[in-house]
Amino acid sequence: MNPDFPARLERFASVDSTQAIVRAWLDAGCPEVAVAVSDVQTAGRGRLDRSWTAPSGAALLCSIGFRPVLAARHAWRLGATVSLAMLDAAEDVAGLRDGRLALKWPNDLVVVMEEGQLRKVAGVLGESVLDADGSVASAVVGVGVNADWAAADFPPALASSMSSLRELAGGRPIDREALLDGFLARLEPRYQALTDDRFDAGAWSARQATTGNDVVVEVGGGRSAVVGRASGVDPETGALWVRIDGRDVAVDAGDVTRCQLAG
């Protein structure tokens, strides 16, 4: 691995939000790739400003700052690239077979249970700032991975819909530093490929847990829903394709409140 990758890496015991820290770094001129990691986030948030918290030491909480050469229409590919790198690293550190974890469009890492239920293992949140010409000036991608989190300590309201690498590893403790190292080692070549206009569309499409399943996609702040069978994802726009009455309809991630398997 390049000794200069990442250009900046700092660890914290507790912060409001690693997203805010990395954004401040970038705004101050910090070069890419910049990474902030914290044991605890007191104001962590997920997509659509939902709150996100985890006990100290239970999750890998980090944000990664980029200054990519990337058109605005492809900004979503940064989050997808981070997700793929973390997916591979998580399977490796937990000793899972390849393909045990999957992506749930638009931004979750999940495990598919035997009964077909999806349980969330990690979430990814990307935020971009655009140049005047419409290209991405900078971006921060945050990741929260349920790493060394025992099921007995899951929040009761979420216990039936989440899992952790520790649980998937049969209760074996998960080394968060090993997970971080494995993630960064996989992120470097994937990010270099992305900046060379070589997004791994094949892996991103193949790892989608929603493809081939009936889905309910809430859009417009939950005021309406798209119901049909997920037929794939669009590697150009990042949209989810949903087949309704024999016709594929593209659902843009920016309009989505929630996507879940039907039933």
Side-chain angles (χ1 to χ4, degrees):
M1 191 168 87
N2 182 348
D4 296 325
F5 186 95
R8 182 173 185 174
L9 170 60
E10 292 193 30
R11 296 170 174 82
F12 302 87
S14 179
V15 299
D16 288 348
S17 166
T18 55
Q19 291 285 95
I21 286 176
V22 175
R23 170 46 59 196
W25 289 351
L26 293 178
D27 290 347
C30 178
E32 66 171 13
V33 168
V35 181
V37 185
S38 184
D39 289 337
V40 173
Q41 287 190 113
T42 59
R45 59 188 177 86
R47 198 164 173 272
L48 302 175
D49 282 330
R50 298 185 182 106
S51 62
W52 199 96
T53 59
S56 177
L60 174 61
L61 308 172
C62 63
S63 292
I64 309 97
F66 302 95
R67 297 186 183 279
V69 180
L70 199 63
R73 70 180 186 280
H74 288 156
W76 65 270
R77 288 181 174 178
L78 278 169
T81 297
V82 167
S83 295
L84 287 169
M86 185 59 78
L87 201 67
D88 290 341
E91 287 179 340
D92 183 49
V93 78
L96 307 178
R97 60 172 174 78
D98 290 348
R100 181 71 176 100
L101 299 178
L103 303 175
K104 184 177 81 70
W105 187 92
N107 66 337
D108 289 342
L109 275 64
V110 300
V111 57
V112 183
M113 307 302 288
E114 289 184 2
E115 65 276 15
Q117 181 194 25
L118 303 184
R119 292 200 174 196
K120 184 173 180 176
V121 176
V124 177
L125 174 68
E127 302 170 308
S128 301
V129 173
L130 303 183
D131 276 326
D133 64 1
S135 61
V136 179
S138 64
V140 182
V141 179
V143 188
V145 185
N146 302 335
D148 197 35
W149 198 339
D153 298 325
F154 289 174
L158 300 175
S160 64
S161 62
M162 66 180 283
S163 189
S164 68
L165 298 182
R166 180 174 183 141
E167 290 305 308
L168 296 176
R172 177 173 58 83
I174 298 298
D175 186 332
R176 290 179 300 142
E177 281 298 314
L179 178 59
L180 177 64
D181 289 346
F183 163 65
L184 293 175
R186 290 164 173 83
L187 177 63
E188 182 181 4
R190 284 192 175 277
Y191 181 56
Q192 182 60 57
L194 182 65
T195 59
D196 292 338
D197 198 27
R198 292 183 290 111
F199 171 61
D200 193 354
W204 181 70
S205 298
R207 302 298 291 270
Q208 297 291 330
T210 45
T211 301
N213 289 298
D214 292 333
V215 295
V216 178
V217 187
E218 295 181 6
V219 297
R223 292 187 296 273
S224 61
V226 176
V227 181
R229 174 153 294 191
S231 55
V233 285
D234 188 330
E236 178 62 28
T237 67
L240 174 71
W241 288 106
V242 181
R243 182 165 288 270
I244 304 171
D245 297 330
R247 181 172 63 94
D248 284 332
V249 175
V251 181
D252 185 86
D255 298 329
V256 171
T257 305
R258 179 179 289 108
C259 175
Q260 58 190 11
L261 298 189

